[in-house]
Amino acid sequence: MARLIRLNRPGFRSARGAVFCGHAFLGTLLLTGQTPPVRSITEGVYSVGQAARGQQLYKAQCSACHGNALEGASGPPLVGDSFLSNWSARSLENLNDKIQKTMPFNLPGSLSRSQSLDLAAYVLQAGKFPAGQAELSDAALAQIVFPMARTSAAGAPEGNLAELMRAIAFPNSNIIFNVQLKDPGAQTKKPPASAPFDYVEWGSTIYPGWLAIDQAAVAIAETAPLLLTPGRRCQNGRPVPVDRADWKQYVKELVEVGRLARRASQARNFDAFVDISEKLNDACANCHKIYRDKGGTEGSGATRCQPLEVK
Ligand code: HEC
Ligand code: HEC
Protein backbone atom coordinates (compact mmCIF):
# COMPACT_ATOMS: atom_id res chain seq x y z
CA MET A 1 0.00 0.00 0.00
CA ALA A 2 1.41 3.34 -0.99
CA ARG A 3 1.92 6.01 1.61
CA LEU A 4 -0.82 8.57 1.92
CA ILE A 5 0.85 11.82 1.10
CA ARG A 6 -0.53 15.14 2.14
CA LEU A 7 1.57 18.05 1.07
CA ASN A 8 0.12 20.31 3.66
CA ARG A 9 2.12 23.31 4.81
CA PRO A 10 0.99 26.42 6.60
CA GLY A 11 0.38 29.38 4.34
CA PHE A 12 2.85 32.14 3.75
CA ARG A 13 2.08 34.97 1.47
CA SER A 14 4.69 36.95 -0.35
CA ALA A 15 4.21 40.34 -1.86
CA ARG A 16 5.95 39.04 -4.93
CA GLY A 17 3.64 38.16 -7.76
CA ALA A 18 4.32 41.31 -9.58
CA VAL A 19 4.35 40.99 -13.31
CA PHE A 20 5.28 44.26 -14.90
CA CYS A 21 3.27 45.69 -17.68
CA GLY A 22 5.13 47.19 -20.56
CA HIS A 23 2.23 48.30 -22.75
CA ALA A 24 2.09 51.82 -21.35
CA PHE A 25 5.81 52.38 -21.82
CA LEU A 26 5.84 51.41 -25.46
CA GLY A 27 2.64 53.31 -26.12
CA THR A 28 3.94 56.57 -24.68
CA LEU A 29 7.11 56.47 -26.69
CA LEU A 30 5.22 55.84 -29.87
CA LEU A 31 2.75 58.66 -29.31
CA THR A 32 4.88 61.58 -28.12
CA GLY A 33 6.66 61.98 -31.44
CA GLN A 34 9.42 63.90 -29.68
CA THR A 35 11.73 61.02 -29.03
CA PRO A 36 13.55 59.29 -31.89
CA PRO A 37 11.58 56.36 -33.32
CA VAL A 38 11.46 53.25 -31.20
CA ARG A 39 13.38 50.32 -32.58
CA SER A 40 13.10 46.67 -31.68
CA ILE A 41 16.03 44.46 -30.67
CA THR A 42 15.06 42.39 -33.73
CA GLU A 43 16.32 45.12 -36.09
CA GLY A 44 20.08 44.47 -36.01
CA VAL A 45 21.04 46.84 -33.19
CA TYR A 46 24.53 45.53 -32.34
CA SER A 47 27.56 44.37 -34.32
CA VAL A 48 29.18 40.95 -34.55
CA GLY A 49 32.52 42.32 -33.29
CA GLN A 50 30.87 43.82 -30.24
CA ALA A 51 29.10 40.56 -29.39
CA ALA A 52 32.44 38.72 -29.70
CA ARG A 53 34.00 41.06 -27.11
CA GLY A 54 30.94 40.52 -24.92
CA GLN A 55 31.32 36.77 -25.23
CA GLN A 56 34.88 36.90 -23.83
CA LEU A 57 33.69 38.93 -20.86
CA TYR A 58 30.72 36.65 -20.39
CA LYS A 59 32.89 33.54 -20.24
CA ALA A 60 35.19 35.10 -17.69
CA GLN A 61 32.69 36.84 -15.44
CA CYS A 62 29.17 35.53 -15.93
CA SER A 63 29.02 31.94 -17.16
CA ALA A 64 29.70 30.43 -13.73
CA CYS A 65 26.30 31.68 -12.53
CA HIS A 66 24.30 31.98 -15.75
CA GLY A 67 25.60 28.85 -17.55
CA ASN A 68 27.76 28.38 -20.65
CA ALA A 69 24.78 28.66 -22.97
CA LEU A 70 23.09 31.40 -20.85
CA GLU A 71 20.58 28.73 -19.87
CA GLY A 72 20.76 29.63 -16.18
CA ALA A 73 22.44 27.92 -13.22
CA SER A 74 22.53 29.64 -9.82
CA GLY A 75 21.55 32.82 -11.67
CA PRO A 76 18.47 33.01 -13.91
CA PRO A 77 18.60 32.25 -17.67
CA LEU A 78 19.50 35.14 -19.98
CA VAL A 79 17.86 33.56 -23.04
CA GLY A 80 14.49 31.91 -23.62
CA ASP A 81 10.85 32.52 -22.79
CA SER A 82 11.13 33.42 -19.11
CA PHE A 83 13.93 35.93 -19.77
CA LEU A 84 12.02 37.52 -22.66
CA SER A 85 8.87 37.75 -20.64
CA ASN A 86 10.74 39.48 -17.78
CA TRP A 87 12.00 42.06 -20.23
CA SER A 88 8.89 42.28 -22.40
CA ALA A 89 8.60 45.82 -23.89
CA ARG A 90 11.37 47.17 -21.65
CA SER A 91 14.29 49.07 -23.13
CA LEU A 92 17.88 48.01 -23.60
CA GLU A 93 18.77 50.87 -21.27
CA ASN A 94 17.02 48.95 -18.48
CA LEU A 95 18.97 45.82 -19.36
CA ASN A 96 22.24 47.67 -19.57
CA ASP A 97 21.65 49.34 -16.18
CA LYS A 98 20.80 45.99 -14.67
CA ILE A 99 24.08 44.55 -15.95
CA GLN A 100 26.32 47.48 -15.16
CA LYS A 101 24.88 48.39 -11.78
CA THR A 102 24.10 44.98 -10.31
CA MET A 103 26.30 42.38 -12.06
CA PRO A 104 28.43 40.37 -11.52
CA PHE A 105 26.21 39.61 -8.56
CA ASN A 106 29.23 39.19 -6.30
CA LEU A 107 31.05 42.28 -7.61
CA PRO A 108 28.49 44.89 -8.71
CA GLY A 109 29.72 48.17 -10.18
CA SER A 110 32.95 46.67 -11.49
CA LEU A 111 32.01 46.80 -15.21
CA SER A 112 32.59 49.84 -17.39
CA ARG A 113 29.77 51.20 -19.52
CA SER A 114 31.34 49.88 -22.71
CA GLN A 115 31.84 46.45 -21.16
CA SER A 116 28.18 46.22 -20.17
CA LEU A 117 27.18 47.32 -23.70
CA ASP A 118 29.31 44.51 -25.13
CA LEU A 119 27.66 42.08 -22.71
CA ALA A 120 24.19 43.28 -23.71
CA ALA A 121 25.17 42.74 -27.37
CA TYR A 122 26.25 39.20 -26.55
CA VAL A 123 22.98 38.50 -24.68
CA LEU A 124 21.10 39.58 -27.84
CA GLN A 125 23.26 37.40 -30.06
CA ALA A 126 22.82 34.39 -27.77
CA GLY A 127 19.07 35.04 -27.91
CA LYS A 128 19.29 34.74 -31.73
CA PHE A 129 18.47 38.38 -32.42
CA PRO A 130 20.32 39.38 -35.62
CA ALA A 131 23.42 41.59 -35.72
CA GLY A 132 23.60 44.76 -37.83
CA GLN A 133 26.36 47.07 -39.06
CA ALA A 134 26.61 49.53 -36.18
CA GLU A 135 27.61 48.85 -32.60
CA LEU A 136 25.11 49.32 -29.83
CA SER A 137 25.79 52.75 -28.32
CA ASP A 138 24.83 54.33 -25.04
CA ALA A 139 22.89 57.09 -26.80
CA ALA A 140 20.61 54.65 -28.64
CA LEU A 141 19.76 52.37 -25.70
CA ALA A 142 16.61 54.04 -24.43
CA GLN A 143 14.91 53.82 -27.83
CA ILE A 144 15.53 50.13 -28.36
CA VAL A 145 12.99 47.80 -26.82
CA PHE A 146 12.41 44.11 -26.28
CA PRO A 147 9.38 42.71 -28.09
CA MET A 148 6.15 42.29 -26.21
CA ALA A 149 6.25 38.76 -24.81
CA ARG A 150 3.67 36.26 -25.87
CA THR A 151 1.24 35.62 -23.07
CA SER A 152 -1.68 33.27 -22.80
CA ALA A 153 -5.13 34.44 -23.83
CA ALA A 154 -5.76 35.20 -20.18
CA GLY A 155 -2.79 37.58 -20.06
CA ALA A 156 0.09 37.35 -17.62
CA PRO A 157 -0.05 34.58 -15.01
CA GLU A 158 -2.13 35.50 -11.99
CA GLY A 159 -0.47 33.42 -9.34
CA ASN A 160 3.07 32.57 -8.37
CA LEU A 161 4.12 28.93 -8.60
CA ALA A 162 3.39 28.09 -4.97
CA GLU A 163 -0.13 29.53 -5.28
CA LEU A 164 -0.76 27.53 -8.44
CA MET A 165 0.43 24.37 -6.68
CA ARG A 166 -1.85 24.97 -3.71
CA ALA A 167 -4.80 25.86 -5.92
CA ILE A 168 -4.68 22.88 -8.26
CA ALA A 169 -2.00 20.23 -7.64
CA PHE A 170 -2.56 20.01 -3.89
CA PRO A 171 -6.34 19.50 -3.64
CA ASN A 172 -6.64 17.31 -6.71
CA SER A 173 -3.76 15.02 -5.89
CA ASN A 174 -5.17 14.55 -2.39
CA ILE A 175 -8.52 13.53 -3.87
CA ILE A 176 -6.63 10.86 -5.81
CA PHE A 177 -4.44 9.84 -2.83
CA ASN A 178 -7.64 9.35 -0.83
CA VAL A 179 -8.67 6.48 -3.09
CA GLN A 180 -6.09 4.42 -1.19
CA LEU A 181 -8.28 4.69 1.89
CA LYS A 182 -11.79 4.56 0.52
CA ASP A 183 -13.32 2.81 -2.44
CA PRO A 184 -15.19 5.56 -4.30
CA GLY A 185 -17.64 2.91 -5.58
CA ALA A 186 -18.72 2.23 -2.01
CA GLN A 187 -19.79 5.81 -1.32
CA THR A 188 -23.45 6.13 -0.53
CA LYS A 189 -25.27 9.23 -1.59
CA LYS A 190 -25.46 11.39 1.52
CA PRO A 191 -27.75 14.32 2.23
CA PRO A 192 -25.98 17.72 2.05
CA ALA A 193 -23.60 18.19 4.96
CA SER A 194 -24.18 20.68 7.72
CA ALA A 195 -20.99 22.64 6.95
CA PRO A 196 -21.67 24.00 3.47
CA PHE A 197 -18.20 25.53 2.98
CA ASP A 198 -16.40 22.26 3.44
CA TYR A 199 -15.90 21.47 -0.22
CA VAL A 200 -14.98 17.84 0.37
CA GLU A 201 -18.09 17.18 2.46
CA TRP A 202 -20.54 19.13 0.39
CA GLY A 203 -18.91 18.62 -3.02
CA SER A 204 -18.91 14.88 -2.60
CA THR A 205 -22.72 14.94 -2.44
CA ILE A 206 -22.84 16.75 -5.81
CA TYR A 207 -20.24 14.67 -7.66
CA PRO A 208 -20.09 11.53 -5.56
CA GLY A 209 -17.69 8.60 -5.70
CA TRP A 210 -15.79 8.03 -8.91
CA LEU A 211 -16.97 11.31 -10.49
CA ALA A 212 -14.74 13.20 -8.06
CA ILE A 213 -11.78 11.04 -9.08
CA ASP A 214 -12.50 11.52 -12.81
CA GLN A 215 -12.47 15.26 -12.25
CA ALA A 216 -9.30 15.32 -10.18
CA ALA A 217 -7.49 13.31 -12.86
CA VAL A 218 -8.65 15.73 -15.58
CA ALA A 219 -7.51 18.66 -13.44
CA ILE A 220 -4.02 17.20 -13.02
CA ALA A 221 -3.57 16.21 -16.68
CA GLU A 222 -4.95 19.42 -18.15
CA THR A 223 -3.35 21.92 -15.80
CA ALA A 224 0.17 20.48 -15.54
CA PRO A 225 1.14 22.49 -18.69
CA LEU A 226 0.43 25.68 -16.69
CA LEU A 227 3.75 24.91 -15.00
CA LEU A 228 5.31 25.88 -18.34
CA THR A 229 3.65 29.30 -18.69
CA PRO A 230 6.38 31.88 -19.28
CA GLY A 231 6.42 34.91 -16.99
CA ARG A 232 5.38 33.09 -13.82
CA ARG A 233 7.55 33.62 -10.75
CA CYS A 234 8.26 31.47 -7.75
CA GLN A 235 7.53 32.92 -4.31
CA ASN A 236 11.13 34.07 -3.94
CA GLY A 237 10.89 36.09 -7.16
CA ARG A 238 12.90 33.76 -9.39
CA PRO A 239 11.34 32.95 -12.75
CA VAL A 240 9.88 29.44 -12.97
CA PRO A 241 12.59 27.57 -14.93
CA VAL A 242 10.24 26.82 -17.86
CA ASP A 243 13.04 26.51 -20.43
CA ARG A 244 14.99 23.76 -18.69
CA ALA A 245 14.81 20.31 -20.27
CA ASP A 246 14.51 18.49 -16.93
CA TRP A 247 11.69 20.80 -15.81
CA LYS A 248 9.79 20.07 -19.03
CA GLN A 249 10.33 16.36 -18.44
CA TYR A 250 8.90 16.53 -14.88
CA VAL A 251 5.84 18.32 -16.23
CA LYS A 252 5.41 15.69 -18.95
CA GLU A 253 5.54 12.93 -16.35
CA LEU A 254 2.83 14.66 -14.31
CA VAL A 255 0.59 14.90 -17.41
CA GLU A 256 1.12 11.19 -18.04
CA VAL A 257 0.15 10.17 -14.50
CA GLY A 258 -2.94 12.38 -14.77
CA ARG A 259 -3.97 10.54 -17.94
CA LEU A 260 -3.29 7.17 -16.36
CA ALA A 261 -5.44 8.13 -13.37
CA ARG A 262 -8.26 9.16 -15.68
CA ARG A 263 -8.22 5.85 -17.56
CA ALA A 264 -8.27 3.88 -14.31
CA SER A 265 -10.97 6.08 -12.82
CA GLN A 266 -13.19 5.73 -15.86
CA ALA A 267 -12.74 1.97 -15.68
CA ARG A 268 -13.71 2.26 -11.97
CA ASN A 269 -10.58 0.25 -11.25
CA PHE A 270 -10.08 0.67 -7.51
CA ASP A 271 -7.07 -1.68 -7.35
CA ALA A 272 -5.10 0.34 -9.89
CA PHE A 273 -4.93 3.29 -7.51
CA VAL A 274 -2.28 1.86 -5.20
CA ASP A 275 0.14 2.01 -8.10
CA ILE A 276 -1.24 5.29 -9.42
CA SER A 277 -0.83 7.01 -6.05
CA GLU A 278 2.76 5.88 -5.97
CA LYS A 279 3.36 7.21 -9.49
CA LEU A 280 1.61 10.48 -8.72
CA ASN A 281 3.65 10.91 -5.57
CA ASP A 282 6.85 10.29 -7.56
CA ALA A 283 5.83 12.78 -10.25
CA CYS A 284 5.43 15.51 -7.61
CA ALA A 285 8.42 14.49 -5.49
CA ASN A 286 10.95 14.08 -8.32
CA CYS A 287 10.55 17.72 -9.25
CA HIS A 288 10.30 18.95 -5.65
CA LYS A 289 13.54 17.18 -4.74
CA ILE A 290 15.47 19.28 -7.25
CA TYR A 291 13.57 22.55 -7.43
CA ARG A 292 11.72 22.99 -4.16
CA ASP A 293 12.97 21.12 -1.13
CA LYS A 294 16.66 21.97 -1.35
CA GLY A 295 15.70 25.62 -1.28
CA GLY A 296 14.07 25.48 2.17
CA THR A 297 10.41 25.72 3.03
CA GLU A 298 7.71 28.20 2.15
CA GLY A 299 9.10 31.02 0.10
CA SER A 300 11.97 31.63 2.50
CA GLY A 301 13.99 29.35 0.26
CA ALA A 302 16.12 31.77 -1.73
CA THR A 303 17.50 28.97 -3.88
CA ARG A 304 14.14 27.45 -4.76
CA CYS A 305 13.45 27.18 -8.47
CA GLN A 306 17.12 27.02 -9.36
CA PRO A 307 18.48 23.66 -10.37
CA LEU A 308 22.05 23.54 -9.08
CA GLU A 309 23.65 23.65 -5.67
CA VAL A 310 25.34 27.01 -5.15
CA LYS A 311 28.92 26.50 -4.21
C1 HEC B 1 27.70 35.08 -8.48
C2 HEC B 1 26.67 34.77 -9.46
C3 HEC B 1 26.44 35.73 -10.61
C4 HEC B 1 27.36 36.24 -11.49
C5 HEC B 1 28.88 36.02 -11.51
C6 HEC B 1 26.61 37.02 -12.44
N1 HEC B 1 25.27 36.99 -12.15
FE1 HEC B 1 23.78 37.91 -13.18
N2 HEC B 1 22.42 37.28 -11.79
C7 HEC B 1 22.72 36.50 -10.68
C8 HEC B 1 21.52 36.36 -9.88
C9 HEC B 1 21.40 35.55 -8.58
C10 HEC B 1 20.48 37.08 -10.51
C11 HEC B 1 19.02 37.23 -10.05
C12 HEC B 1 18.92 38.32 -9.03
C13 HEC B 1 18.93 39.67 -9.64
O1 HEC B 1 18.21 39.87 -10.65
O2 HEC B 1 19.64 40.55 -9.14
C14 HEC B 1 21.09 37.64 -11.72
C15 HEC B 1 20.40 38.42 -12.65
C16 HEC B 1 20.94 38.88 -13.84
C17 HEC B 1 20.20 39.55 -14.88
C18 HEC B 1 18.70 39.84 -14.85
C19 HEC B 1 17.95 38.64 -15.41
C20 HEC B 1 16.45 38.82 -15.42
O3 HEC B 1 15.79 38.10 -16.18
O4 HEC B 1 15.94 39.68 -14.70
C21 HEC B 1 21.07 39.83 -15.89
C22 HEC B 1 20.75 40.52 -17.22
C23 HEC B 1 22.36 39.35 -15.47
N3 HEC B 1 22.25 38.77 -14.24
C24 HEC B 1 23.52 39.46 -16.23
C25 HEC B 1 24.78 39.10 -15.77
C26 HEC B 1 26.02 39.36 -16.49
C27 HEC B 1 26.10 40.01 -17.87
C28 HEC B 1 27.03 38.89 -15.72
C29 HEC B 1 28.54 38.96 -15.98
C30 HEC B 1 29.10 40.29 -16.01
C31 HEC B 1 26.45 38.31 -14.52
N4 HEC B 1 25.09 38.47 -14.58
C32 HEC B 1 27.18 37.70 -13.52
C33 HEC B 1 23.93 35.92 -10.39
C34 HEC B 1 25.13 36.21 -11.02
C1 HEC C 1 7.84 20.50 -12.51
C2 HEC C 1 8.11 20.62 -11.10
C3 HEC C 1 7.00 20.37 -10.09
C4 HEC C 1 6.02 19.42 -10.15
C5 HEC C 1 5.79 18.33 -11.20
C6 HEC C 1 5.22 19.59 -8.96
N1 HEC C 1 5.70 20.64 -8.21
FE1 HEC C 1 4.85 21.38 -6.49
N2 HEC C 1 6.28 22.81 -6.40
C7 HEC C 1 7.33 22.95 -7.28
C8 HEC C 1 8.14 24.09 -6.87
C9 HEC C 1 9.41 24.59 -7.55
C10 HEC C 1 7.51 24.65 -5.73
C11 HEC C 1 7.94 25.90 -4.95
C12 HEC C 1 7.16 27.05 -5.54
C13 HEC C 1 7.48 28.40 -4.97
O1 HEC C 1 8.22 28.51 -3.97
O2 HEC C 1 6.92 29.37 -5.54
C14 HEC C 1 6.33 23.81 -5.47
C15 HEC C 1 5.45 24.04 -4.42
C16 HEC C 1 4.41 23.22 -4.09
C17 HEC C 1 3.48 23.46 -2.99
C18 HEC C 1 3.47 24.66 -2.07
C19 HEC C 1 4.06 24.37 -0.71
C20 HEC C 1 5.34 25.08 -0.44
O3 HEC C 1 6.20 24.51 0.25
O4 HEC C 1 5.56 26.20 -0.95
C21 HEC C 1 2.58 22.42 -2.97
C22 HEC C 1 1.43 22.19 -1.99
C23 HEC C 1 2.94 21.53 -4.06
N3 HEC C 1 4.04 22.06 -4.74
C24 HEC C 1 2.28 20.37 -4.39
C25 HEC C 1 2.54 19.59 -5.51
C26 HEC C 1 1.86 18.38 -5.84
C27 HEC C 1 0.79 17.73 -4.98
C28 HEC C 1 2.38 17.94 -7.04
C29 HEC C 1 2.01 16.70 -7.83
C30 HEC C 1 0.61 16.52 -8.13
C31 HEC C 1 3.39 18.90 -7.46
N4 HEC C 1 3.46 19.89 -6.51
C32 HEC C 1 4.11 18.80 -8.64
C33 HEC C 1 7.61 22.17 -8.38
C34 HEC C 1 6.80 21.13 -8.85
Side-chain angles (χ1 to χ4, degrees):
M1 173 76 139
R3 261 177 314 139
L4 177 69
I5 301 115
R6 288 183 186 274
L7 295 120
N8 199 0
R9 303 257 187 99
F12 173 94
R13 199 171 291 268
S14 137
R16 199 61 203 229
V19 181
F20 75 92
C21 171
H23 302 59
F25 171 73
L26 192 60
T28 327
L29 279 182
L30 287 171
L31 289 173
T32 56
Q34 288 169 354
T35 39
V38 174
R39 284 195 294 155
S40 162
I41 57 167
T42 57
E43 294 170 38
V45 299
Y46 67 92
S47 76
V48 171
Q50 188 178 25
R53 294 196 304 271
Q55 182 171 23
Q56 293 311 309
L57 284 166
Y58 181 85
K59 276 189 185 151
Q61 300 196 41
C62 322
S63 62
C65 294
H66 291 283
N68 287 331
L70 289 76
E71 77 281 19
S74 66
L78 304 179
V79 292
D81 286 348
S82 71
F83 176 74
L84 290 177
S85 101
N86 286 345
W87 292 89
S88 170
R90 290 166 81 185
S91 75
L92 276 189
E93 184 169 42
N94 295 151
L95 178 71
N96 204 47
D97 283 349
K98 171 77 192 171
I99 294 173
Q100 199 202 350
K101 295 175 182 168
T102 75
M103 293 293 140
F105 197 65
N106 47 348
L107 204 60
S110 60
L111 295 167
S112 72
R113 200 68 183 167
S114 73
Q115 285 178 318
S116 70
L117 283 168
D118 293 350
L119 284 160
Y122 178 57
V123 167
L124 296 182
Q125 187 183 56
K128 304 212 158 50
F129 295 101
Q133 298 305 313
E135 294 205 345
L136 183 60
S137 73
D138 218 355
L141 285 180
Q143 272 66 248
I144 305 173
V145 294
F146 279 87
M148 194 83 71
R150 290 177 285 115
T151 43
S152 64
E158 183 66 27
N160 65 32
L161 183 63
E163 289 171 321
L164 185 71
M165 290 279 163
R166 292 181 207 135
I168 303 173
F170 176 69
N172 288 296
S173 60
N174 276 309
I175 289 172
I176 293 175
F177 291 141
N178 264 334
V179 180
Q180 299 164 88
L181 297 185
K182 276 193 203 161
D183 181 349
Q187 184 188 345
T188 50
K189 194 146 173 117
K190 293 185 290 184
S194 51
F197 291 106
D198 181 329
Y199 176 78
V200 179
E201 279 284 305
W202 171 78
S204 70
T205 67
I206 307 293
Y207 303 111
W210 283 106
L211 284 180
I213 318 303
D214 291 346
Q215 289 156 196
V218 169
I220 297 278
E222 295 257 6
T223 64
L226 293 176
L227 302 178
L228 298 172
T229 307
R232 193 185 309 284
R233 299 262 173 181
C234 297
Q235 266 186 126
N236 59 13
R238 284 181 180 279
V240 175
V242 297
D243 297 310
R244 293 195 51 96
D246 60 340
W247 181 269
K248 290 181 190 161
Q249 183 59 29
Y250 292 134
V251 173
K252 191 165 163 249
E253 282 161 18
L254 186 56
V255 172
E256 277 160 17
V257 185
R259 290 195 177 132
L260 202 64
R262 173 139 154 99
R263 307 274 171 279
S265 181
Q266 290 200 312
R268 303 320 190 215
N269 183 351
F270 179 49
D271 294 336
F273 275 83
V274 173
D275 185 46
I276 284 170
S277 286
E278 197 78 63
K279 286 200 167 75
L280 182 58
N281 178 53
D282 289 349
C284 311
N286 289 342
C287 185
H288 287 167
K289 229 170 11 207
I290 305 297
Y291 286 101
R292 186 187 77 172
D293 300 338
K294 275 199 288 198
T297 54
E298 286 295 333
S300 60
T303 60
R304 271 187 170 192
C305 298
Q306 82 178 30
L308 305 170
E309 304 265 45
V310 198
K311 284 164 213 124

